Amino acid sequence: MRSAPTILHLDMDAFYASVEQASKPSLRGKAVIVGGLGPRGVVATASYEARLLGVHSAMPMSQARRLAPNAAYLVPRFALYRSISDQVMALLRALSPLVEPLSLDEAFVDLEAGGTAWDERSARLVGAKLRADIRAVTGLTGSVGLAASKMLAKIASEQAKPDGLVVIEPGTERAMLEPMPVRTLPGVGPATGDHLRRAGIHTVGEIAEAGEDELVRLLGKAHGHALYAMALARDDRPVVAERETKSVSVEDTYDVDIHDRVRVGTEVARLADRCVRRLRGAGLSGRTIVLKVRRYDFSTLTRSETLRGPTDDPAVVREAAARLLDSVDTTGGVRLLGVGVSGLADYTQEDLFAQAAGGAEEEAAREGEEPEPASEARPEVPAERRWPAGCDVRHAEYGHGWVQGSGLGRVTVRFETPVSAPGRVKTFRVDDPALEAAEPLPLVEGVH
């Protein structure tokens, strides 16, 4: 462990919910819950106002609605979250070449490697400036922890929440850790915490007092050794720069189990197209196609097929996924489907059409006909336009707004922007020609 608090951990505060509050003035200071809105949906993020009501991430959405019936429930807007995350990560990479993203809203930074901090004072100044820069660029808040190791920096950022900065000075780690509950340490979840509690161990200090041999006896060799070292504030893990993406995948969970085999096949084809769009967006291709199926009884099956070379062709991926589906028994119903591509490369192999069994393009070429375009270029026209809660819209007369809710052929829209006052509410028919989907607006005026 180093001798100065130059490992920084950033955690954006209630990220998805904070983005929604920043983009919707009428929701600021109110309970906001982002996640899947169907019967089987789960909470992705809850605002701090919702957390006070007992709502937390990974909670079933049905339970969240019971705890917070008056909260705003919104679908995630991942494209917007990723764009804001890119802005934040760019600020971190300006501080050091060693940035280790953990998710869209969380990362470690080695400030010493970037020459931007070398002692407690310089580290504190960097942390304070980073928080100010994040607010200026995104309009959001982030909590910063600074310490001599990754474990302690993460604990410090948890103490800093929300919207704060905590520095753990070298030499104070053991005294700070000792009274903390065992769940403070990384890797101590509910099961391990209960196991330790039954052994009379409730705090980090009591883990250290128990001794390494006792922890190995209770938890096994690997976990016991690791937990003892953490209780003594020992953590020599380096900050590892962002790793290459190993796979690209998409999946959907269905509100009602799918029993119709034709519908299952259609969903797999649709997911394959979505996966390829994401693959192409990252400038990648891949050799191995993976199908994931979770059945009605929660059993999960995965099947994979490796091609002769990397591809980003939707027809190849669709047909490989269809072949994999042929080997899966979906009798009884399917609750989740996913398609992924791994074995990634930054090039494609041009002759991969030979790998697609009976591709539509080849068939049409033999008949001298124009091939039917892939599904990504042939969107289905739904019987009724769908307006998910929270999505951006624009009205020819009233301007930019967002969907508060829809149903029974009507859609309710609140017209406001990130830089406006809370706006007025209007209700329209779902097929109103003056209403159309829109792109999200920047959270900070003049920053794109």
Side-chain angles (χ1 to χ4, degrees), residues 5 8 95 111 116-133 144 146 165 167:
L8 181 149
L95 299 175
L111 299 178
T116 49
W118 47 92
D119 58 12
E120 187 271 338
R121 180 176 177 278
S122 59
R124 190 181 292 274
L125 288 172
V126 168
K129 184 176 185 303
L130 174 64
R131 292 178 58 237
D133 288 345
V144 170
L146 289 153
L165 184 150
V167 180

Side-chain angles (χ1 to χ4, degrees), residues 275-349:
C275 184
V276 168
R277 286 198 293 273
R278 185 171 293 184
L279 195 69
R280 287 179 168 179
L284 297 169
S285 61
R287 294 184 64 221
T288 301
I289 315 303
V290 180
L291 175 71
K292 177 180 176 181
V293 179
R294 181 167 297 148
R295 299 188 292 191
Y296 70 98
D297 59 357
F298 286 90
S299 61
T300 302
L301 305 175
T302 57
R303 299 287 186 268
S304 65
E305 174 181 321
T306 299
L307 307 174
R308 291 198 303 270
T311 184
D312 66 352
D313 187 280
V316 174
V317 177
R318 278 199 306 272
E319 293 179 25
R323 288 194 295 274
L324 294 171
L325 180 61
D326 287 341
S327 66
V328 177
D329 179 10
T330 59
T331 305
V334 169
R335 60 187 297 118
L336 176 147
L337 290 167
V339 174
V341 177
S342 60
L344 301 181
D346 56 3
Y347 67 95
T348 59
Q349 187 162 307

